[in-house]
């Protein structure tokens, strides 16, 4: 049995812009995941400006753990966008839930006491973009009039 089942791209009926948007969101998830996993401080101090102090090793370990999950989720989004487009609406829904939880935690529930890292601002821009892509993925793509390309 092969690792990857056959593509589902032919079954996808939504806007073609949605898988392209999902590809972008996947890259924008994988790159920070790599930063969190592979930078010596996981980006906690150098990017987010968190004072590491005596809890530094624990903070760095948590960033690495989060980075690992970001890489895997990003790869799942990328596979849906490129090979399994029938899953694009599901992946966009999961991404919308995840980023909504990020926003709620970062701004309302657990905002911390040292300001906001770049991701807290980025998520506010990403949420409406993800919602638009989700709606587009659920709508039937319009066919071009016959004779036109």
């Amino acid at each position: 049995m092969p690792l990857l089942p056959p593509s589902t791209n032919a079954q996808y009926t939504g806007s073609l812009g949605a898988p392209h948007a999902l590809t972008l969101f996947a890259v924008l998830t994988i790159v920070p995941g790599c930063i969190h996993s592979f930078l010596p401080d996981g980006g906690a101090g150098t990017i987010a400006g968190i004072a590491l102090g005596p809890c530094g090793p624990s903070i760095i370990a948590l960033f690495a753990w989060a980075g690992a999950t970001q890489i895997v989720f990003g790869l799942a989004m990328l596979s849906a966008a490129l090979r399994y487009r029938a899953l694009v609406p599901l992946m966009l829904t999961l991404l919308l839930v995840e980023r909504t939880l990020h926003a709620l935690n970062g701004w309302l529930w657990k905002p911390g006491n040292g300001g906001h890292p770049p991701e807290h601002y980025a998520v506010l821009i990403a949420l409406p973009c993800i919602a638009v892509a989700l709606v587009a993925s659920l709508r039937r793509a319009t066919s071009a009039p016959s004779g036109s390309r």
Side-chain angles (χ1 to χ4, degrees):
M1 178 173 172
L3 178 63
L4 298 174
S7 173
T8 65
N9 287 358
Q11 299 168 9
Y12 178 70
T13 59
S15 166
L16 289 179
H20 295 309
L22 186 60
T23 300
L24 176 63
F25 297 135
V27 171
L28 293 174
T29 300
I30 294 168
V31 170
C34 290
I35 290 169
H36 295 324
S37 291
F38 303 118
L39 272 185
D41 73 344
T46 55
I47 297 172
I50 296 171
L52 298 174
C55 293
S58 296
I59 294 168
I60 293 168
L62 288 172
F63 268 58
W65 170 78
T69 62
Q70 284 177 298
I71 292 169
V72 172
F73 186 45
L75 290 172
M77 288 190 291
L78 195 59
S79 67
L82 299 178
R83 186 169 169 89
Y84 302 106
R85 288 192 177 162
L87 295 175
V88 166
L90 173 63
M91 295 306 293
L92 287 167
T93 300
L94 293 173
L95 182 62
L96 186 64
V97 169
E98 184 223 14
R99 298 302 161 136
T100 298
L101 290 171
H102 273 277
L104 290 171
N105 281 319
W107 290 99
L108 298 176
W109 296 341
K110 300 171 187 168
N113 58 2
H116 293 281
E119 174 61 20
H120 286 180
Y121 297 98
V123 76
L124 298 178
I125 296 166
L127 280 173
C129 297
I130 296 165
V132 166
L134 175 59
V135 169
S137 75
L138 296 170
R139 289 190 170 169
R140 270 208 187 280
T142 56
S143 304
S146 62
S148 65
R149 294 198 188 264

